[in-house]
Amino acid sequence: MFRLRLFFACLLPFALSAATVFISPSGDDANPGTLAQPFRTIQHGVNLLQPGDTCFVRGGTYREAVTIAKKGTAGKPIRVRAYPGERVLLDGTEPITGWRPAGKGLYATKTPLKFEQLFAGEQMLTEARWPNCAPDRILTRDGWATVGPKSEYKAIRDPELAATGIDWNGATAILNVAHQFWSWSRTVEGYEKGSDLLPYMITMNEFHTKNRNWWHDDFYYLMGKREALDVDGEWHLATDGTLTLMSSKAAPAD
């Protein structure tokens, strides 16, 4: 009986101690999650954590979204930490491969992904648009076209638009018009190539529609047309999944 009690006394501290699991880019979720045999994904390790447990993530890049559904306590927090001395990067992007030359500095590939941002390394690229705008100026007035003096409700007049020579039907127009408190996005319909008239559909109250002074200082830009690819770093994603990138310096890396 003495030996049996001693045996349980030895086991008890281990049964109640916090667990530690390890994650590594070279691991496997079928592993036991030890330092020598780590898991591959952070989410798999996190799913096993209980209050007081710790998940150490080895250095590297992890392309996954991680959700911690369980809750720790003040005395027993759930910890997810980078392994001491190592750098961990959670990357929400997906690699795109299969690029091929498409002429005139363009490269193309097919992708099933739907997205609004494209990166080359850590540099965000710009979706093809008119007027052009550098990525670091997206949140400024740079890259917005100004309307002409004959613009009115539901009709932008702009000689510079006519000079683009692009059929903008099907493009997306971002419109900062009227009171300019906010912007609208509308699909371009009824545009005639080479025209300075860009019609759009927005329903406003009479205070706006009958006041002609609301429309002379508006701003807008157009995006979503492959023909607008004209500077390095611009891209266009077609409805059939064809992704086209302008890169006159070098082919995109797979």
Side-chain angles (χ1 to χ4, degrees):
M1 182 64 69
F2 174 79
R3 290 181 179 178
L4 184 61
R5 288 178 178 173
L6 179 62
F7 178 70
F8 279 119
C10 291
L11 279 184
L12 187 60
F14 292 94
L16 297 180
S17 64
T20 302
V21 298
F22 297 85
I23 316 296
S24 171
S26 61
D28 190 317
D29 284 347
N31 287 343
T34 62
L35 181 59
Q37 294 182 289
F39 296 133
R40 171 63 183 85
T41 64
I42 300 173
Q43 186 65 65
H44 183 76
V46 165
N47 289 343
L48 301 176
L49 299 181
Q50 299 296 329
D53 293 348
T54 300
C55 175
F56 279 110
V57 185
R58 301 300 304 267
T61 298
Y62 298 82
R63 299 183 184 278
E64 58 175 304
V66 180
T67 301
I68 302 177
K70 298 174 184 176
K71 295 182 179 180
T73 66
K76 293 184 176 181
I78 291 176
R79 297 182 174 93
V80 181
R81 293 177 168 176
Y83 193 78
E86 297 185 1
R87 181 175 182 267
V88 175
L89 176 63
L90 274 169
D91 192 334
T93 65
E94 292 289 341
I96 296 177
T97 60
W99 295 97
R100 65 185 187 281
K104 298 182 178 180
L106 299 177
Y107 294 86
T109 188
K110 277 291 191 76
T111 175
L113 301 174
K114 304 296 182 183
F115 50 87
E116 296 181 356
Q117 289 181 309
L118 184 67
F119 293 82
E122 296 184 1
Q123 176 64 47
M124 187 178 76
L125 306 178
T126 305
E127 185 174 0
R129 54 178 284 165
W130 178 86
N132 293 320
C133 186
D136 62 350
R137 305 299 295 170
I138 289 293
L139 299 181
T140 72
R141 277 294 186 197
D142 294 358
W144 290 77
T146 55
V147 305
K150 295 183 180 180
S151 299
E152 55 186 336
Y153 177 48
K154 297 185 180 180
I156 285 174
R157 292 281 185 178
D158 184 1
E160 293 185 6
L161 174 66
T164 66
I166 295 175
D167 180 359
W168 290 105
N169 285 297
T172 298
I174 308 300
L175 307 164
N176 188 218
V177 297
H179 45 64
Q180 300 174 2
F181 294 155
W182 57 78
S183 297
W184 292 264
S185 63
R186 293 292 186 271
T187 300
V188 176
E189 298 176 339
Y191 176 73
E192 295 184 8
K193 183 179 179 180
S195 172
D196 69 346
L197 172 62
L198 182 73
Y200 61 89
M201 180 57 66
I202 290 176
T203 301
M204 296 184 179
N205 58 43
E206 289 188 359
F207 177 75
H208 298 93
T209 59
K210 292 185 177 182
N211 190 336
R212 298 185 62 84
N213 293 328
W214 280 100
W215 314 102
H216 70 281
D217 60 348
D218 293 337
F219 300 89
Y220 74 105
Y221 65 88
L222 303 170
M223 59 195 306
K225 296 289 285 190
R226 188 180 186 276
E227 294 85 345
L229 286 167
D230 61 353
V231 295
D232 279 357
E234 282 193 335
W235 58 273
H236 172 260
L237 180 62
T239 55
D240 67 354
T242 299
L243 175 61
T244 308
L245 171 69
M246 175 163 279
S247 178
S248 61
K249 298 178 182 179
D254 281 347

